[in-house]
Amino acid sequence: METKIIYPDNISEAAECIKNGGTVVFPTETVYGLGGDAFNEKAIDKIYNAKGRPGDNPLIVHISGFDELDNLVSEIKEYAKILMEKFWPGPLTLIFKKKPTVPLKVTAGRNTVAVRFPSNETAQRLIKEAGTPIAAPSANLSGSPSPTVCSDVIDDLFSRVDYIIDATGCEIGLESTVVDVSTDEVVILRPGGVTLEMIREYIPDAKLDSGLIDEDAIPKCPGLKYTHYSPKADVVVVQGEKDKVREYISSKVDEFSGVISYKSGAYESAGLVLYAGNNMEEYAHNLFSHLRTFDKHNIKKVYAEFSPEPGMGVAVQNRLYKSAGHKIIEV
Ligand code: AMP
Ligand code: MG
């Protein structure tokens, strides 16, 4: 199919496409999303097909104002209202009990629906002009790292979608935090830019899904059970005291190795060394784009220096461990 690449100044064309049941890739503050009218089942089918996404992995519905919740959710608990007020618009997805009007294709048969109000201005304008909430998973082929720049989207989805909006954004670089607010407990199903600590400031009892902490438990967030965020290269996470980490990686690397490192000038014999960042926010912003860069340079094995931290570190750890298929070396 023909894919048209446009800039944000031409957004009306893309909004029209959504109204007519088409698919549009748009930027958000987390990663690029692949969107279609949340109430149009044909558009939802197109999204799953374009990504090759398993049908049991539900989509997030994106809104551009609180009033759009009326047609989507059947109940908003008091603590959900607090989270909406504090963190929307932003990188937080909330799981509510759904209204019957929301197609089961969007929620993969569940009686709950995931909703997010993104802060990215282009995303907000697209939803407003389309006049309907937009269901959108990340705009990558299923299984590969989420796209954080337009060229990543083109690599994965060119000729598989109607429109791609080439724009700035994706400052965070990891997908949204997913929080279940459909029961009497507040549970983080997927860590992201809004951290456990930030949520606990308002809801002290909020907790992380035990499936995120215990390696053998199955995460409640359906998307997290898949091999995900994986480049073609094999990824290994190396943790421990800095000098030991560097000594270990140095002993392993050759021209086909890539390294994500906290230090410049290290690992001269490696094929490609990329900077992790100065803090976990920067590591989050760089991770997916680095994984894709290694593939472009034909790197076969990637060693990632990592040292666990709370806050944003939890989200980085979640994505990094998954991209490594839980191959973690403690030195
Ligand atoms: P993506 O947009 O590709 O980051 O994927 C959306 C994530 O939200 C996936 O991991 C889904 O499994 C999760 N999700 C969407 N809807 C629900 C829901 N109703 N209950 C639990 N998790 C959900
Ligand atoms: Mg995804």
Side-chain angles (χ1 to χ4, degrees):
M1 75 197 274
E2 196 194 331
T3 298
K4 200 164 170 193
I5 298 178
I6 57 167
Y7 301 134
D9 63 347
N10 205 7
I11 213 162
S12 306
E13 231 183 276
E16 202 58 37
C17 172
I18 296 275
K19 280 186 192 165
N20 294 327
T23 48
V24 175
V25 174
F26 60 97
T28 80
E29 67 278 22
T30 59
V31 301
Y32 272 86
L34 161 53
D37 179 351
F39 294 114
N40 182 330
E41 296 205 11
K42 288 206 176 105
I44 304 306
D45 283 339
K46 287 181 193 167
I47 292 173
Y48 278 96
N49 288 337
K51 277 187 65 106
R53 185 176 177 97
D56 64 349
N57 190 7
L59 309 182
I60 295 172
V61 177
H62 293 71
I63 58 173
S64 59
F66 285 49
D67 53 330
E68 291 161 50
L69 282 173
D70 293 348
N71 292 328
L72 295 169
V73 313
S74 62
E75 186 193 7
I76 305 178
K77 295 188 185 284
E78 281 311 309
Y79 53 73
K81 285 183 190 156
I82 297 171
L83 293 177
M84 285 158 53
E85 199 180 295
K86 299 294 173 194
F87 299 111
W88 275 4
L92 175 70
T93 296
L94 298 174
I95 312 270
F96 299 94
K97 289 213 173 74
K98 83 178 202 50
K99 278 237 168 101
T101 40
V102 180
L104 286 168
K105 277 191 176 163
V106 170
T107 66
R110 293 166 180 252
N111 62 3
T112 52
V113 60
V115 185
R116 184 161 95 82
F117 183 171
S119 62
N120 179 284
E121 199 213 315
T122 305
Q124 288 187 5
R125 275 174 48 219
L126 179 70
I127 302 163
K128 273 231 152 42
E129 285 204 29
T132 179
I134 294 181
S138 50
N140 51 288
L141 287 174
S142 195
S144 61
S146 297
T148 54
V149 291
C150 190
S151 60
D152 295 346
V153 175
I154 292 169
D155 287 345
D156 276 21
L157 295 178
F158 192 76
S159 81
R160 302 177 75 90
V161 295
D162 294 310
Y163 280 86
I164 295 173
I165 304 177
D166 183 358
T168 52
C170 308
E171 297 80 9
I172 295 170
L174 296 185
E175 306 84 351
S176 58
T177 306
V178 177
V179 179
D180 189 351
V181 290
S182 69
T183 69
D184 288 333
E185 288 187 314
V186 173
V187 185
I188 297 182
L189 305 187
R190 176 174 77 180
V194 175
T195 64
L196 175 67
E197 291 79 1
M198 287 158 77
I199 290 172
R200 279 196 176 151
E201 242 184 77
Y202 306 101
I203 304 175
D205 295 339
K207 57 180 196 191
L208 284 176
D209 170 24
S210 56
L212 293 171
I213 304 158
D214 175 359
E215 229 181 87
D216 298 323
I218 297 170
K220 282 207 194 71
C221 189
L224 289 182
K225 74 173 185 286
Y226 295 103
T227 324
H228 228 110
Y229 320 116
S230 324
K232 292 189 191 82
D234 246 355
V235 181
V236 176
V237 181
V238 187
Q239 287 180 191
E241 203 254 308
K242 267 190 197 130
D243 291 342
K244 284 196 178 148
V245 166
R246 291 202 178 119
E247 198 181 312
Y248 176 86
I249 297 177
S250 298
S251 74
K252 296 284 179 189
V253 291
D254 61 21
E255 62 190 297
F256 299 110
S257 313
V259 186
I260 301 179
S261 176
Y262 289 107
K263 187 171 181 254
S264 56
Y267 312 115
E268 273 175 8
S269 51
L272 183 61
V273 182
L274 297 174
Y275 183 45
N278 207 13
N279 52 47
M280 280 298 165
E281 280 69 27
E282 289 185 15
Y283 206 137
H285 179 76
N286 293 330
L287 177 62
F288 287 148
S289 108
H290 283 357
L291 293 178
R292 283 175 177 266
T293 303
F294 288 126
D295 277 350
K296 283 192 184 127
H297 289 81
N298 208 21
I299 293 294
K300 304 292 179 214
K301 187 141 192 168
V302 173
Y303 296 89
E305 293 182 2
F306 184 68
S307 95
E309 269 180 37
M312 195 63 176
V314 178
V316 174
Q317 182 171 328
N318 173 259
R319 305 311 194 281
L320 189 56
Y321 281 16
K322 284 197 69 64
S323 70
H326 285 273
K327 287 189 290 293
I328 299 133
I329 294 171
E330 293 275 355
V331 292

